[in-house]
Amino acid sequence: MSTDTDTAAAAPDLETLEAGQQLPPMHKFPDEAQLFLYSAASHNPHRIHYDREYARFEGHDDIIVHGPLQGAWLTQFVTDWAGPAARLLGVTWQNRASGLPGEELVFSGTVTSVDAETGVVELEIAEHTSDGRLLMPATARVRLPTT
Amino acid sequence: MSESLIPAETLERVGEVLSGPVTTVIDRREAQRYAYAVGDENPIYFDEVAAQAAGYRTLVAPPTYVAHAVVQPRTAADLRTDGLYREGTRIRLRVDRVMFGGEEWDFLEPVCVGDEITATVRLAAVDQKEGRKGPFVRQVRETTFVNQFGDEVARSRMIGIAR
């Protein structure tokens, strides 16, 4: 259950940031232990996250990664990029497909708008498996510090 | 237009409170346990000095943690075979399957350790749509989170797809 970000980049600079710029991708490697810990920490007893036989009975390939865990990763992807002085204003995500333990999950994002006056930046984000299956299309709004 | 999947009695419930209000104090250990489980070790969740340097009153909780903080303890006798708890309030639809479609969050104010958060869930919308695989119902459950100062701190809309 580790996280890799491609660069430990400095917080984005509102002066030079513009639509079309890409965020450094974030990689997640969920395993069974992480799914167990997330079920416990989020008070989620749903069987498809810990009982392999039951998950298969419901038509999944294996136990599946929680939607809200992927949502929490989405917020981490943005807040890690934006830095501690920024404020996350909102996120949206769609659950398209399920991630499985043992898969590498990749978050990528593009700046879609920048308001230099207010510092509000809008992002389009996607979570894929490393072999390109789209799990979660998403958006985020974040306010960067204005100087 | 195909036959309606939404009974009239369900349409009349739009706007109704489905659960709550429930009030919970944001606990440091539980919020940190959540951050560790996510693998998000942002110092603003763990280090009070870092949190204050970033402009927060004190340690802050991860953005979506508040949704889990307000989950009330339930007896295991209430678990269904799929592991979910039986719901007190059911929305009647003429469908076979309900799936999680996604979520939309607005973060309005920080949620800090020690804050007292009151959550209320409402049925915000029930709409029938035409999809490629036939008609489906989009159901939106909106939760509002209000802190001890009376400020709305977050709003989440959980989108269920039923067909």
Side-chain angles (χ1 to χ4, degrees):
Chain A
M1 56 178 284
S2 62
T3 311
D4 283 355
T5 7
D6 287 3
T7 49
D13 180 0
L14 204 50
E15 298 284 301
T16 57
L17 196 67
E18 51 186 29
Q21 287 182 10
Q22 311 249 313
L23 278 64
M26 180 180 82
H27 304 257
K28 286 285 184 180
F29 305 89
D31 57 14
E32 287 86 347
Q34 179 160 30
L35 300 199
F36 168 78
L37 289 168
Y38 188 81
S39 287
S42 64
H43 314 297
N44 181 343
H46 202 175
R47 198 173 279 274
I48 56 173
H49 304 302
Y50 64 86
D51 182 337
R52 185 157 281 140
E53 206 174 320
Y54 182 80
R56 288 187 176 139
F57 165 74
E58 279 215 356
H60 301 291
D61 292 330
D62 196 348
I63 56 172
I64 62 172
V65 179
H66 314 65
L69 174 53
Q70 297 174 84
W73 287 336
L74 164 66
T75 67
Q76 178 185 7
F77 177 55
V78 178
T79 55
D80 278 358
W81 170 74
R87 292 293 181 269
L88 185 62
L89 302 177
V91 292
T92 72
W93 70 80
Q94 294 172 40
N95 297 31
R96 285 284 173 80
S98 301
L100 308 175
E103 286 191 301
E104 177 184 346
L105 307 179
V106 185
F107 287 78
S108 56
T110 308
V111 174
T112 52
S113 78
V114 179
D115 184 332
E117 199 122 311
T118 59
V120 175
V121 174
E122 294 183 306
L123 304 167
E124 199 167 277
I125 298 168
E127 181 200 18
H128 290 88
T129 56
S130 58
D131 56 7
R133 203 167 88 247
L134 176 64
L135 303 187
M136 215 171 76
T139 66
R141 275 177 305 123
V142 61
R143 193 176 65 238
L144 299 180
T146 50
T147 44
Chain B
M1 191 70 194
S2 44
E3 185 202 356
S4 177
L5 303 177
I6 311 172
E9 66 186 72
T10 296
L11 279 177
E12 284 165 16
R13 294 179 59 186
V14 172
E16 184 181 308
V17 171
L18 299 178
S19 73
V22 295
T23 300
T24 303
V25 175
I26 301 299
D27 179 78
R28 178 185 62 80
R29 286 179 309 166
E30 289 226 11
Q32 292 179 344
R33 208 189 311 281
Y34 182 84
Y36 279 131
V38 171
D40 184 355
E41 300 186 16
N42 195 322
I44 61 175
Y45 309 144
F46 296 93
D47 176 352
E48 192 148 347
V49 173
Q52 287 174 351
Y56 296 102
R57 282 176 276 131
T58 181
L59 289 177
V60 67
T64 56
Y65 169 68
V66 69
H68 310 289
V70 298
V71 174
Q72 296 301 292
R74 297 274 298 268
T75 168
D78 283 351
L79 289 175
R80 310 186 307 200
T81 49
D82 63 3
L84 293 174
Y85 289 108
R86 283 184 195 87
E87 285 183 50
T89 322
R90 299 192 59 179
I91 311 291
R92 242 174 43 79
L93 295 172
R94 297 188 188 102
V95 296
D96 300 321
R97 227 183 145 189
V98 183
M99 288 158 289
F100 289 111
E103 291 188 32
E104 300 173 356
W105 279 86
D106 295 317
F107 305 110
L108 308 169
E109 295 290 337
V111 175
C112 291
V113 164
D115 282 358
E116 197 178 276
I117 302 294
T118 300
T120 307
V121 184
R122 286 184 182 80
L123 181 62
V126 188
D127 299 300
Q128 182 159 334
K129 312 256 184 197
E130 285 299 323
R132 274 176 301 142
K133 289 179 274 180
F136 67 93
V137 176
R138 185 176 179 275
Q139 173 182 311
V140 183
R141 287 170 187 247
E142 182 173 80
T143 308
T144 55
F145 301 92
V146 177
N147 69 11
Q148 68 274 28
F149 309 118
D151 297 325
E152 190 179 0
V153 293
R155 199 178 305 144
S156 85
R157 286 175 293 279
M158 294 192 60
I159 295 148
I161 302 293
R163 51 166 44 102

